[in-house]
Amino acid sequence: MINVAIIGAAGLSGLELIRILTRHPHASLQVLTSGKYAGRSACDAFPELGDVELVFQQHDAALNGCDVAFLAIPNKASMELAPKLLAQGQRVIDLSGVFRLRDTEVFRTHYGFAHTEPETLKQAVFGFPEINREIIPGAKLIGNPGCYPTGALLGLLPLGDLMAELAVAPVIDAKSGVSGAGGRVEDDATNFMEVNENFKAYKVFEHQHTPEIEQVLEDCTAYDRGRHGAVVFTPHLLPLGRGILSTIYLHFNEAMDPDAIRRRFADFAAREPFVTLLPAGRGAELKMVQGRNDCVISLFHDATAQKWVVLTAIDNLVKGAAGQAVQNMNLMFGVDETAGLK
Amino acid sequence: MINVAIIGAAGLSGLELIRILTRHPHASLQVLTSGKYAGRSACDAFPELGDVELVFQQHDAALNGCDVAFLAIPNKASMELAPKLLAQGQRVIDLSGVFRLRDTEVFRTHYGFAHTEPETLKQAVFGFPEINREIIPGAKLIGNPGCYPTGALLGLLPLGDLMAELAVAPVIDAKSGVSGAGGRVEDDATNFMEVNENFKAYKVFEHQHTPEIEQVLEDCTAYDRGRHGAVVFTPHLLPLGRGILSTIYLHFNEAMDPDAIRRRFADFAAREPFVTLLPAGRGAELKMVQGRNDCVISLFHDATAQKWVVLTAIDNLVKGAAGQAVQNMNLMFGVDETAGLK
Amino acid sequence: MINVAIIGAAGLSGLELIRILTRHPHASLQVLTSGKYAGRSACDAFPELGDVELVFQQHDAALNGCDVAFLAIPNKASMELAPKLLAQGQRVIDLSGVFRLRDTEVFRTHYGFAHTEPETLKQAVFGFPEINREIIPGAKLIGNPGCYPTGALLGLLPLGDLMAELAVAPVIDAKSGVSGAGGRVEDDATNFMEVNENFKAYKVFEHQHTPEIEQVLEDCTAYDRGRHGAVVFTPHLLPLGRGILSTIYLHFNEAMDPDAIRRRFADFAAREPFVTLLPAGRGAELKMVQGRNDCVISLFHDATAQKWVVLTAIDNLVKGAAGQAVQNMNLMFGVDETAGLK
Amino acid sequence: MINVAIIGAAGLSGLELIRILTRHPHASLQVLTSGKYAGRSACDAFPELGDVELVFQQHDAALNGCDVAFLAIPNKASMELAPKLLAQGQRVIDLSGVFRLRDTEVFRTHYGFAHTEPETLKQAVFGFPEINREIIPGAKLIGNPGCYPTGALLGLLPLGDLMAELAVAPVIDAKSGVSGAGGRVEDDATNFMEVNENFKAYKVFEHQHTPEIEQVLEDCTAYDRGRHGAVVFTPHLLPLGRGILSTIYLHFNEAMDPDAIRRRFADFAAREPFVTLLPAGRGAELKMVQGRNDCVISLFHDATAQKWVVLTAIDNLVKGAAGQAVQNMNLMFGVDETAGLK
């Protein structure tokens, strides 16, 4: 059994980790921490968890005997805690945004504060199984991908070298449920009266997930920021709990062969356990993925076959956070990658 | 024109007052206050208001030239401010709960703090037009009714002396939209992730609106707390923005004449400008009243005619707060009671 | 393995049965039927089911080799099909309302048509495990309980003989999510524009689940319809997908001992695998039970201890339908009652 | 007074017309028709309308004495009825899609049936006040714009000749509330269980509003379909009642002067009574426009000023349908364009 600690277990991602890991055949929850609920048992504070008797501890709880710690805490708290845990020999899967971007200047611009742990950052492996399946097993520190980048990248990675044929950079119009607002559940912006019956874009041209998407596309595809220009990414807030639908617009220099494009995605879906390609004409919807570690993809093109729309749907708390984190854990500990996730 | 100040104009009730009063033929907004938005114009902070150019001031703004001040601020703030304004000769319509209950012991029990302004309280007129239409015009201080009592009482007052025939006290099962949580929009309990797709009761047997309902029933009907026992009132939180549906259960000692009962409600609706009785068999729904200063009522009885269900629907922000407050203002200043409200 | 057929597998209850049974350790889906989706595979029609490759057949599909058939079809269709299946030696768990009420006169009054299969009805066992755990194993035909009766009865059964002390019959104010409207998903009444931001009661004093509740209370508790009068039951429609919250009002002739009452419920919860009693002061909420086969109960009383409120929360599609049906299947086939349901 | 008939008055657009016109200072409702509600009064069928005593008639009601008829009926019904009314000398404002596209071949492709009234079509004026204010007064037949085109065009028209500088055609990612699904309220696709907690795109690259947008852009701006390619338009369905947010992506050949662009939109907003430009940095939200005949616009550009995002928000039932139709009526009858709409 893999002995697990969850730091920040009473936030939305933390609770989702509890849900997944209590049903995981190879994992055993040992430590849950929460500032707010310290001293209460998980099932007392959250009856919906069923019979999880474990008591929440303070964030500085001893992790003796744990094989891995999931950090589901705010950015600065993760940046501070991760090096300490690593120094104790603890393996860490971090769900915050601080161990994803390699360029600390870009980080500062988009996160609004300096990265104080550049050495730790160098050790971090980007926990995107579809890309880094080979190196995740050896990682001490995983930077678990952002929810928006997960949804966007799974719709672009299959294009690979064809990204060179783009006339302009991709436009990613993403719509997220409220749980994707990153655990800031006390925030006024996520008050029911603000969100219900409302819809809006936010952080237009400014969201910190944009460079995360660009970094991966430059690493893994023929996308070239210098030549194609910056990726355009616009997040929106949906009046619902869970899920991200990304509508990705691609404009190629010339007509692309629809069969060839579809084959690339079909091959990708065939080899990836958590990617589903819908048949032609069928559109991805959030209800197809809620509560599941799956990414559902659909493809559309116009009459010229030069313009394409890729739709991807994920559950931001599962494939976009806790589920992907557990997928990383499975890879790190050599168990079936899909354990606890089907 | 009636010159108006709204203290706490950026809360939910305050915004509703702005909406109503900007369309009111005899009112002119002079002063809006808001701690959070002070210095910004109303239409800048809230584009949905249209072209309301007035700038929010601090709560201690001078009210020179205002004929009436609406207080849409928390309980303790109202208790402190109302006497000061009255001392300046200002007429006040208070939307908080502090000037409704005559008995300060009952107040302390249900509000959790002592009433420090008993003399001011004695001047207060309970701003329920259907009851106090005659004395509201002379009032210096109006205690505007609570949203739940408004919905419950409009379903019980028409029974009048027939309340003596009850075998047990009425049971009022009330369900409110989130805006009825009283402006506490920063509260965790009203976060979207808490409310959406959820439903719950709260403050069972403990809500402070219970004695407000009882006080009025004892004043205006044959209900007798000593004989019938305490009113049973259970509020619930609906995952929607506006409206209160009250399902009121009555158990009479013997069969009541359905025609006689219906006639009482029909007469009440005929003489009250903001009460509608639905035809037999038709049930009140929240959508019938949202955005309107109306109370829609429907009546049902079982085969014995001994058990009755009265349904009432109001918009908690309109008939349950701002609309009723404007109705009171209309009465205080001798203009048509329905001005600005139809 | 228990070989299973689901007749009407593409309705809301049918889909929930698929979800539960694909994860059930002792069940194997053999036949799924659907008029609308016949010829398509389940995972094609409903990608959210994951990899359920089984193809929907017409409702008259041969059930050779099936050990049990779940009927998740309309009332009249069930009434017609069940006797045929029983005649073929098939065991049947029926989720419609036609095999629950023993009195066919009461049935006709509340369902609006005559019961044409009184002999079949006599064989039916009411599939309420908390009551009939001993006789369910031998049943050929299970009448699976209604969703509202399940929520109401689990909050009343623990009182047992104390029900004799009631001054008046219980008042059950129940609020259901839209999926509880029984699969009539094409109905105008469940259109988004009708339900969203709306709330209403329906079938006041007329709902067909009232006699189902009364029948069980008379069988299993000291409730006496002649003496206490008819149970008052009012269903309401919530603007959310899943869950029923029942607010049950009890008025006893005298003060009841709070410890004694709580102990009865605690004992009940201790011996029942799918009942949870919340600690004093904590209220049941729908989010505690959604997606789970649990009933969460909380208890409140007033200062006199004569008036009580029992809150129960269930997921209408799970404990109120498909989950309870699988619990019955487990009992019928002698496997662990909780298999597939935890 | 303008005497008005509404054909199809009980649909969503029809009801919105009733709401607006009962408060209109220069209009008088004379005839309401509805197949479903014929014989019932409007306030009986829809208590939320207040005291509208008019009785719904059949669709073939005589319109004697009416100055104008609004058609809020399905496409084919409008195509059939409009010529008859025009032949009787009736002026018509048609809210369907059949009198908007000049090219009947394009019409057939996108609407799926042949246009049988090409002569009537030639008389139709596209009822977009911001474009055709000069010719609407003389129109006998108005083709009221589609909801999506209204939102998209108000965000593009101010660019005028600058549209020539686009490197590629605009991408319009639009998200609509359920009421925008065009009155098909009985449709399974708009059932609560389908829409609630769900989000999806539909008719990708196939929606009939695409050529409507292109036709106007070619008429009124320097957009050139031949050179820029087809407009990319993707509609999505939001789980809420009202509103369309359009996120419009523009990619110019070179950097555009932000001040110049903003000035164009500011000038447009200054001269248009129902267009509001938000200050820089502020994003349009649906709540800003619900229930109002306004279009709220906000502008964003990236660091290069070559890529722009225009956000527009409208209420699809008001500015996108009934409100705009009344605006057209005001122009046709020479009263203040904003009458009844502020």
Side-chain angles (χ1 to χ4, degrees), chain A residues 10 13 33 60 120 137 143 152 156 196 208 255 258 279 305 320:
Chain A
S13 294
T33 80
D60 58 359
T120 305
L156 289 169
N196 181 51
Q208 69 276 10

Side-chain angles (χ1 to χ4, degrees), chain C residues 3 8 13 17 19 87 130 203-205 215 234 263 298 300 305-306 312 332 336:
Chain C
N3 290 316
S13 294
L17 283 167
R19 268 185 214 101
E130 292 79 3
K203 291 195 181 180
V204 183
F205 288 121
Q215 173 178 292
T234 313
R263 199 155 45 237
S298 50
F300 298 87
Q306 209 179 337
T312 72
M332 287 167 82
D336 177 2

Side-chain angles (χ1 to χ4, degrees), chain A residues 217-247:
Chain A
L217 289 182
E218 292 215 303
D219 285 358
C220 302
T221 77
Y223 163 75
D224 178 341
R225 195 178 192 280
R227 189 158 66 83
H228 295 105
V231 164
V232 178
F233 166 64
T234 312
H236 301 71
L237 187 60
L238 287 167
L240 56 80
R242 283 166 174 250
I244 293 176
L245 190 86
S246 300
T247 309

Side-chain angles (χ1 to χ4, degrees), chain A residues 36 178 185 188 190-192 239, chain B residues 36 178 185 188 190-192 239:
Chain A
K36 184 169 177 185
V178 179
V185 294
D188 206 32
T190 57
N191 182 277
F192 186 83
Chain B
K36 184 170 176 184
V178 180
V185 294
D188 206 32
T190 57
N191 183 277
F192 186 84

Side-chain angles (χ1 to χ4, degrees), chain C residues 12 17 46 48 57 72 85 167 215 260 267 326-327 336:
Chain C
L12 295 175
L17 283 167
F46 302 96
E48 56 270 32
Q57 302 181 51
L85 295 179
Q215 173 178 292
D267 290 349
V326 171
Q327 200 177 342
D336 177 2

Side-chain angles (χ1 to χ4, degrees), chain D residues 5 7 59-69 71 80-92 123 140:
Chain D
I7 311 302
H59 287 322
D60 57 359
L63 306 189
N64 310 350
C66 289
D67 299 304
V68 63
L71 307 193
E80 193 175 320
L81 182 58
K84 293 182 189 164
L85 294 178
L86 290 165
Q88 297 166 16
Q90 186 68 57
R91 298 178 81 176
V92 171
Q123 299 176 47
K140 298 291 181 215

Side-chain angles (χ1 to χ4, degrees), chain D residues 154 156-165 220-222 252 256-272 275 277 297 299:
Chain D
L154 290 171
L156 288 168
L157 288 172
L159 292 170
D161 57 304
L162 295 183
M163 293 284 282
E165 312 299 323
C220 303
T221 76
F252 291 99
M256 305 300 284
D257 176 3
D259 291 338
I261 300 272
R262 175 161 286 274
R263 200 155 43 236
R264 283 179 178 244
F265 279 86
D267 290 349
F268 184 63
R271 73 175 176 266
E272 286 301 334
V275 174
L277 177 65
I297 303 178
L299 301 174

Side-chain angles (χ1 to χ4, degrees), chain A residues 86-107:
Chain A
L86 291 165
Q88 296 166 18
Q90 185 69 56
R91 297 178 83 176
V92 171
I93 299 173
D94 178 49
L95 280 76
S96 86
V98 298
F99 297 114
R100 300 174 189 158
L101 293 177
R102 283 193 301 268
D103 185 325
T104 54
E105 273 317 298
V106 171
F107 177 88

